[in-house]
């Protein structure tokens, strides 16, 4: 047994290093600045098709009375579609009437009427329609038929896609801002808890020293 003089004091006895806690890790400052809240976006003007079948606002897309939120849409796709049946009937009818007229099987009047009818069928089938497909996030797509010229519909759907992408981009930035604010609140709470723990430990040490001195 060692003499009392050679034994180390309790205050200076070697102590194992304290393991780092989760609070200390959370109290570390986050990398990068915290994003500021996004300013309120100005409302976009409402766009309507000439026949009123499609209405586009800054938050919704209405097609034939059915409304969709831009946030639930992935994109809109417009494809011109030809009516092959009417197109073939018109072409075959025109060819048959012309052959019959050249073979003197038909007179001029019936031949002209037949060629005009076949030409109308050919034009009608060639014009066709416009197929609109709306891709929805996590759900099946929706199909619509939009008659008329393809150009105006394509411009309207391009504007719809631009607004759809804008809505998704803003939602992603708002989510990033909220996540950064939550991380900052967690960091501040962890720092406050660590400071309170250090203060409590200091108070305990001072109380222990006072009792030792009194003894």
């Amino acid at each position: 047994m060692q003499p009392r003089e050679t034994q180390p004091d309790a205050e200076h006895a070697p102590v194992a290093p304290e393991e780092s806690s989760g609070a200390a890790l959370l109290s570390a400052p986050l990398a990068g600045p915290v994003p500021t809240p996004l300013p309120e976006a100005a409302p976009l003007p409402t766009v309507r098709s000439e026949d009123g079948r499609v209405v586009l606002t800054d938050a919704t897309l209405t097609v034939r009375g059915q409304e969709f939120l831009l946030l639930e849409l992935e994109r809109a796709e417009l494809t011109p579609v030809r009516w092959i049946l009417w197109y073939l009937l018109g072409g075959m009818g025109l060819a048959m009437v012309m052959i019959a007229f050249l073979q003197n099987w038909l007179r001029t009047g019936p031949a002209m009427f037949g060629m005009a009818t076949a030409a109308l069928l050919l034009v009608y089938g060639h014009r066709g329609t416009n197929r609109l497909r709306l891709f929805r996030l996590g759900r099946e797509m929706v199909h619509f038929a939009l008659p008329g010229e393809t150009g105006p519909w394509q411009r309207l759907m391009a504007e719809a896609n631009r607004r759809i992408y804008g809505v998704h981009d803003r939602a992603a930035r708002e989510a990033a801002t909220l996540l950064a604010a939550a991380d900052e609140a967690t960091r501040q709470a962890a720092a406050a808890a660590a400071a309170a723990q250090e203060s409590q430990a200091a108070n305990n040490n001072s109380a222990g020293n006072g009792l030792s001195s009194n003894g």
Side-chain angles (χ1 to χ4, degrees), residues 192-208:
Q197 186 177 2
E198 292 177 359
S199 177
Q200 184 67 25
N203 293 334
N204 294 336
N205 291 336
S206 61

Side-chain angles (χ1 to χ4, degrees), residues 77-125:
E77 184 179 277
L78 186 72
T79 305
V81 178
R82 307 301 179 206
W83 289 330
I84 303 299
L85 178 61
W86 298 105
Y87 193 80
L88 293 177
L89 287 177
M92 292 176 61
L94 184 62
M96 292 175 62
V97 171
M98 292 183 65
I99 291 174
F101 177 71
L102 293 176
Q103 295 294 330
N104 294 324
W105 295 342
L106 290 175
R107 295 185 178 181
T108 304
M112 296 299 293
F113 178 78
M115 285 188 287
T117 303
L120 288 176
L121 290 176
L122 184 63
V123 172
Y124 183 72

Side-chain angles (χ1 to χ4, degrees), residues 47-99:
V47 182
R48 300 175 181 269
S49 60
E50 296 180 356
D51 54 7
R53 288 184 170 91
V54 178
V55 181
L56 176 64
T57 66
D58 59 344
T60 61
L61 175 64
T62 304
V63 182
R64 293 183 177 272
Q66 189 172 354
E67 186 178 79
F68 303 92
L69 293 176
L70 297 182
L71 197 58
E72 70 173 309
L73 297 178
E74 182 179 353
R75 71 179 187 275
E77 184 179 277
L78 186 72
T79 305
V81 178
R82 307 301 179 206
W83 289 330
I84 303 299
L85 178 61
W86 298 105
Y87 193 80
L88 293 177
L89 287 177
M92 292 176 61
L94 184 62
M96 292 175 62
V97 171
M98 292 183 65
I99 291 174

